[in-house]
Amino acid sequence: MQSLPKVTNSSDPIQNEIYQKVTNRYLEQARDQLFDRSEVSSLKQNDLDSIMTDEHKAQEKIVETMLDMVKNIKQRSVAANHIIKQDILSAERSSRIADVNQSQMRINNNTLGVFNKGAYKCWLWVMLTFVFIIFFYMIIFMKLFRKSEVQAKTGLMTLVFSGTTTVVSCIGSIVSSITTLFYDVSLQ
């Protein structure tokens, strides 16, 4: 291979033009050697039509490939759009179900609150009835065993009366604690 001639920087335009022509000729020869164009240049006029048809076929293949890609992209976008619509519908359905469940929970909560208040009143009446029954039994017990009959049995009677008052005071404290407990629960 030849090396390119070197030119010093000159201001002569003719010399620069000659240098460019020689350089271009040299580069064309190098290209022809690399791409083996010597045969192509001789067959250029004969095969020009075949080269054009080959290029046209290659372009048609590229166009067909691009059309297939566009069809695939369109099908995928339609499928994605369908899936997104289904997801939106299921999200709306879930939202409606959640709203219905929330309203039912409010109704059940209110019903439960009414039952809690009723249970509080029921237990209150049960405890008050229990206290009154014990109180009436204590009065009956006091009527049956009068003071004159009991003076002989002082020790036993004192024990019975102190036990009865202790039981009544315990029952009273139990009733008050249960009442406050149920009242606190009904407020919640």
Side-chain angles (χ1 to χ4, degrees):
M1 280 192 84
Q2 297 175 330
S3 64
L4 289 173
K6 297 201 177 195
V7 158
T8 59
N9 288 337
S10 68
S11 60
D12 188 19
I14 295 172
Q15 191 178 7
N16 284 338
E17 187 177 333
I18 292 171
Y19 174 74
Q20 287 177 355
K21 285 183 181 182
V22 169
T23 305
N24 285 337
R25 189 176 304 143
Y26 174 75
L27 290 175
E28 282 180 22
Q29 287 174 358
R31 281 189 202 128
D32 287 342
Q33 285 177 358
L34 285 173
F35 293 119
D36 197 20
R37 288 189 182 173
S38 59
E39 297 173 8
V40 174
S41 63
S42 65
L43 298 174
K44 210 173 208 183
Q45 294 172 355
N46 296 336
D47 292 338
L48 186 61
D49 290 335
S50 65
I51 293 172
M52 291 297 288
T53 56
D54 289 342
E55 288 295 322
H56 186 42
K57 287 179 183 178
Q59 287 178 354
E60 285 179 358
K61 286 182 182 179
I62 292 172
V63 167
E64 288 176 10
T65 306
M66 290 178 70
L67 286 174
D68 289 340
M69 287 180 172
V70 168
K71 286 178 184 176
N72 286 338
I73 290 172
K74 184 177 179 181
Q75 288 174 351
R76 288 180 183 171
S77 66
V78 167
N81 188 17
H82 181 70
I83 290 170
I84 289 171
K85 284 182 181 179
Q86 285 179 344
D87 288 347
I88 288 172
L89 289 175
S90 66
E92 288 174 353
R93 189 177 17 206
S94 297
S95 176
R96 277 188 250 123
I97 289 171
D99 290 340
V100 168
N101 287 344
Q102 187 178 11
S103 65
Q104 287 178 351
M105 284 183 65
R106 283 186 190 139
I107 292 169
N108 290 339
N109 191 18
N110 292 338
T111 306
L112 186 62
V114 169
F115 285 140
N116 279 342
K117 289 179 183 176
Y120 160 72
K121 290 179 182 177
C122 178
W123 281 108
L124 178 67
W125 283 108
V126 167
M127 292 306 291
L128 286 175
T129 306
F130 184 68
V131 168
F132 283 125
I133 289 171
I134 290 177
F135 180 72
F136 285 126
Y137 277 133
M138 187 179 74
I139 290 175
I140 291 171
F141 183 74
M142 289 171 59
K143 292 278 185 181
L144 289 177
F145 299 104
R146 300 211 177 257
K147 195 173 189 183
S148 61
E149 297 172 2
V150 179
Q151 285 179 354
K153 303 174 186 176
T154 311
L156 179 63
M157 191 49 98
T158 309
L159 182 62
V160 169
F161 282 127
S162 66
T164 306
T165 56
T166 307
V167 169
V168 170
S169 66
C170 287
I171 290 173
S173 64
I174 290 172
V175 168
S176 65
S177 64
I178 290 175
T179 304
T180 56
L181 176 70
F182 281 119
Y183 183 72
D184 290 341
V185 169
S186 67
L187 288 179
Q188 292 177 358

